[in-house]
Amino acid sequence: MRGPASLLPTALAAVLLLSACGTERADTRDGGPGAVTPTSGTQMTDPGIDGVRITSVTLSSPSPSPGRGHSVTADRLPGDSGISAAYEVTNRGTEAMTYTILVDFTDAAGRVMGNTRETVRAVGAGRSVRGTVGPGVVAPGSSSVTRAEIADVTRVPADEAPAEAGDCPSSGIRVFADEGDAAMGLRAVGLRLENCGSRDHLVNGYPLLELLDDNREPVDGVRILKGSGGITTGAGPDEAPEPVTLKPGETAIATLVWRNTTASGTPVTVPYVRVRAQAGADPVMVTPGLDLGTTGELGVRPWRRAPR
């Protein structure tokens, strides 16, 4: 995820000039039968970052605006920019990984005109996945998009990746992080536990956390506090944990709270957090991008039923 607190290292990737017209297909795995080589657009050979690279960018000519005597054709929806970037994700590791990539589409001055976050699931060791993304709707009158680049890459073990919305793990519980919030140096990210199964689920206490660095190794020197009162009073008074029974479709939330104040010392960043809803639960790895500054403290509030 990339919320207000996300300060993951920016991945420098291909800066691409758009110079041609055409369309491209997406989601061709492993370069096997059915693999598509873009037939138009600027082709790239940049090595990319963490095995993720842009291979080509295409800019289609805009369709005429609908008006008297004109109709919108099926190959261009209103507001569709006609711009796309083809990417390739190669897993050079030894286990299947799920990647989340952020592609920025910019103008000639480097201003971001649109971006797309794409999750590429379960890329096997030594294998590649290809796909195509667009910038979404580019507002009328905005500067023309001329470039695309990989802005962020995160990757987690495939068997620990948060389930997609609409998918339910065999446990019947889906754990994920929200977009977070920020105000006056105070940061907060919600961990959400959704009962996506068919029976009631009981949760009690605090989520169990492992803080991990860019290599998904433990981060030292951070105190995990039960409650947020030691960090701020702005999140309300600390409350003791209490059992929460979730019926199917209901959600609980536990909030991570911290400040990114920087004084003397070495700032600490935590790009990955391995979460267990409670002891014995399956781990889920989320990417809130915690920038703890030099405070060295992270507050965790207990599970509470989320407002409807």
Side-chain angles (χ1 to χ4, degrees), residues 98-193:
T98 288
Y99 292 72
T100 299
I101 65 176
L102 180 68
V103 181
D104 280 349
F105 294 81
T106 67
D107 65 8
R111 294 172 295 192
V112 177
M113 298 291 103
N115 55 33
T116 298
R117 192 178 298 278
E118 182 92 342
T119 297
V120 186
R121 293 188 172 272
V123 183
R127 302 178 75 86
S128 295
V129 172
R130 297 170 186 159
T132 304
V133 297
V137 176
V138 177
S142 63
S143 300
S144 298
V145 172
T146 60
R147 301 173 182 173
E149 61 183 8
I150 301 294
D152 262 334
V153 177
T154 60
R155 52 197 181 102
V156 303
D159 59 0
E160 295 187 36
E164 290 185 281
D167 289 347
C168 189
S170 58
S171 64
I173 296 299
R174 189 171 81 94
V175 177
F176 59 99
D178 64 22
E179 291 297 318
D181 195 7
M184 299 296 291
L186 181 66
R187 302 290 188 264
V189 166
L191 299 177
R192 294 184 175 269
L193 186 156

Side-chain angles (χ1 to χ4, degrees), residues 21-87:
C21 301
T23 58
E24 298 170 357
R25 295 184 182 179
D27 295 340
T28 300
R29 291 182 176 266
D30 307 324
V36 176
T37 299
T39 57
S40 61
T42 302
Q43 305 294 307
M44 300 301 301
T45 57
D46 189 272
I49 186 75
D50 283 344
V52 182
R53 65 189 184 101
I54 299 292
T55 57
S56 71
V57 179
T58 296
L59 174 62
S60 297
S61 299
S63 299
S65 300
R68 183 174 300 176
H70 294 87
S71 62
V72 179
T73 59
D75 62 352
R76 180 66 58 80
L77 297 175
D80 183 4
S81 66
I83 301 164
S84 64
Y87 64 82

Side-chain angles (χ1 to χ4, degrees), residues 3 15 99 244:
V15 176
Y99 292 72
V244 178

Side-chain angles (χ1 to χ4, degrees), residues 223-238:
R223 289 197 306 153
I224 299 179
L225 310 177
K226 290 184 176 180
S228 58
I231 296 174
T232 179
T233 58
D238 286 334

Side-chain angles (χ1 to χ4, degrees), residues 201-224:
H201 183 81
L202 174 66
V203 63
N204 190 11
Y206 299 86
L208 305 179
L209 309 178
E210 294 180 66
L211 309 184
L212 307 174
D213 63 16
D214 283 320
N215 297 316
R216 293 172 299 283
E217 296 292 335
V219 173
D220 296 325
V222 177
R223 289 197 306 153
I224 299 179

